[in-house]
Amino acid sequence: MKKILKSREFLVLALLVVMILAVSTVNAAVLRPLTLINIVNSSLFLILIAIGQMFVVMTRGIDVSVGAIAGLSAVIFGMALNAGIPLPLAMVCALLTGLVCGCVNAAGIVFVGIPPIIMTLGTLGAYRGLMRVLTGGSWIESIPQSIKTLAVTRYMSVPLMVWAVAALIIVLAILLSRIKAVRNFYAVGDNREGAYLLGINVRATEFTAYALAGLFSGAAAIVFTGQIGFVPMQTGSGQELKAIAAVVLGGVSLMGGTGTIWSAVIGALFLTTVDSMMIFLKVPGSWNNAVAGAVLLAIVVFDYLIRRAVRNRQLAMRAAEMHHAEQDHDTGFQPREAVR
């Protein structure tokens, strides 16, 4: 229990609740169940991208192309639907597009040795350019009603997509807590050389991380397309930075080796809620990024100060214990004449 209370996830979740309650004093509509459900529904796109980014950051990497991968996957998804391909197969096309794009990133980083930021910056431009080539620079509209119906269908007032993503998160959380191979992500991020000496396939682990980032971006594209019913050229633009911010906010260290799936989920939900709260407070949309950035910085700095204070206190206590142990040792082994 103490471990949970001290975690970054708990801190962000507590601040999320406080923020909602504070805004409710100005606009009580925030606390309506339908409002809260809609906030969660609008966060699904960022949540899925952030989960994929989490695997990369855990291995001490970074992927700034996830937004572009989501955009390209959405284009393929929309084109497949308009070509008459059944919805399930169109979904598979979107997921495969994301997976292939992630594997391209992984191949350049793992096998060629290109730094992650350089490789993913390059593919970001390539994937964005490919989007325009495939669509001629125009939006994909007139998407079949099947995906729209799936997005608006609700069960117990909650959209089916929310249920689906929630189930996915729970299943992933269970699998990640029980599969031993998942520890490889933490080991590689914490100490790459040490992981190699322990017999961990470092290359395979890093490759899998970037492949998963692409796969989850493809899944995010499906959700996004269903929610808005068309594919604009700006799909996924800027989401890569929000995904990085979400995982860092949730507690995944940029130095690798730490973090959970809940870090990505709570961080993404927090950032989405901040945008929604600006609407209820009638703050101009131009302030959204500034406010979200300020909140992110404040939480990270506050958490760092707390962790540093706790660490310094632990070091001080350890030093005091060592000092007392030395005194006891010296007293116990004094010469008999000195004792007299």
Side-chain angles (χ1 to χ4, degrees), residues 223-279:
V223 171
F224 180 82
T225 305
Q227 288 177 334
I228 69 172
F230 61 94
V231 183
M233 281 297 93
Q234 296 79 17
T235 301
S237 180
Q239 294 301 309
E240 54 279 333
L241 298 181
K242 279 193 172 183
I244 296 171
V247 297
V248 172
L249 176 63
V252 182
S253 173
L254 286 174
M255 298 304 294
T258 61
T260 66
I261 188 173
W262 300 111
S263 303
V265 173
I266 294 174
L269 185 59
F270 186 93
L271 292 180
T272 305
T273 304
V274 169
D275 291 342
S276 299
M277 294 303 104
M278 295 298 100
I279 297 175

Side-chain angles (χ1 to χ4, degrees), residues 111-326:
F111 299 121
V112 182
I114 303 173
I117 186 67
I118 302 300
M119 181 66 191
T120 55
L121 271 175
T123 54
L124 182 154
Y127 299 150
R128 285 288 174 199
L130 187 55
M131 287 175 62
R132 293 190 174 276
V133 170
L134 292 174
T135 62
S138 60
W139 292 10
I140 298 179
E141 300 176 332
S142 303
I143 291 178
Q145 193 67 28
S146 55
I147 183 64
K148 300 177 185 178
T149 302
L150 180 63
V152 299
T153 301
R154 292 175 178 250
Y155 176 71
M156 296 177 62
S157 300
V158 179
L160 285 180
M161 284 191 172
V162 173
W163 286 112
V165 174
L168 175 64
I169 292 170
I170 293 173
V171 170
L172 282 173
I174 295 174
L175 291 177
L176 294 179
S177 64
R178 295 187 178 184
I179 298 177
K180 292 183 178 180
V182 175
R183 299 173 186 172
N184 294 350
F185 292 106
Y186 295 100
V188 171
D190 185 55
N191 189 332
R192 194 175 189 275
E193 291 74 17
Y196 176 79
L197 293 175
L198 288 174
I200 295 174
N201 192 329
V202 175
R203 285 189 170 187
T205 301
E206 292 179 335
F207 193 99
T208 302
Y210 287 95
L212 287 172
L215 182 63
F216 278 97
S217 294
I222 296 173
V223 171
F224 180 82
T225 305
Q227 288 177 334
I228 69 172
F230 61 94
V231 183
M233 281 297 93
Q234 296 79 17
T235 301
S237 180
Q239 294 301 309
E240 54 279 333
L241 298 181
K242 279 193 172 183
I244 296 171
V247 297
V248 172
L249 176 63
V252 182
S253 173
L254 286 174
M255 298 304 294
T258 61
T260 66
I261 188 173
W262 300 111
S263 303
V265 173
I266 294 174
L269 185 59
F270 186 93
L271 292 180
T272 305
T273 304
V274 169
D275 291 342
S276 299
M277 294 303 104
M278 295 298 100
I279 297 175
F280 284 102
L281 293 175
K282 298 180 180 180
V283 177
S286 56
W287 282 91
N288 284 6
N289 289 336
V291 173
V295 171
L296 170 64
L297 184 61
I299 291 176
V300 172
V301 171
F302 180 68
D303 181 71
Y304 169 76
L305 292 176
I306 291 178
R307 290 176 184 273
R308 187 179 67 175
V310 171
R311 185 173 63 252
N312 290 342
R313 182 179 178 183
Q314 291 175 342
L315 291 175
M317 292 176 63
R318 190 176 302 172
E321 290 176 357
M322 293 178 63
H323 179 68
H324 289 312
E326 290 179 356

